[in-house]
Amino acid sequence: DNVQPDVITFNSLIQSYANREEPEKAAACLEAIAARSLEPNLITYNSIVGAYARAGDPDSVAKVLDKMSEVSLQPNHITWTAMITACGNACPQRPAAAERVLQEMINQGIKPNRVTLTALARAVGWRRRNALLKEMRLEDRHNSSNTLHLSLTTEVESIAEKK
């Protein structure tokens, strides 16, 4: 039996390189995938984007996104969040780029989730993040649920004390 690697095998290898903070080796796997006439999937690209994001290399993230676009793969929450993370991890940080990424994410019809908003806060600061949410008329559902949880907890404790 001559077992050949498939995209899942390469995705595991890419993630291994990403975890070891070796984004260039992770990206090189794309060439190895192509050499075997395999098709990389969204997980493949997101893993490479994540590796560059951790390294604070938004320029390399942009190059990977161009490759995604060439094969007609659309970024998802994970991709957008990694792009924002790359802006926050860059030295120096790139807050204006993070804001542009957030705007483009929203323009593409994807609302930021809690993880995205946390990455945004790291990239632009909490005050600016909150101002952006207000400007864009976005709700931080995580904070709303915390407030709701707190008010319900207070209400329940008040009822329990009366008994």
Side-chain angles (χ1 to χ4, degrees), residues 11 14-15 41-48:
N11 288 347
I14 290 167
Q15 194 57 54
N41 58 27
L42 188 58
I43 294 169
T44 309
Y45 286 101
N46 279 346
S47 296
I48 296 167

Side-chain angles (χ1 to χ4, degrees), residues 1 6 11 13 16 18-19 22 28 31 38 59 63 69 105 114-115 121 129 135 143 152:
D1 282 327
D6 59 7
N11 288 347
L13 182 60
S16 174
N19 291 341
E22 296 180 295
E31 292 176 34
L38 298 171
D59 296 330
K63 289 175 187 171
S69 188
M105 176 183 184
R114 182 175 52 120
V115 178
R129 169 206 176 265
E135 287 172 24
N143 282 347
L152 285 176

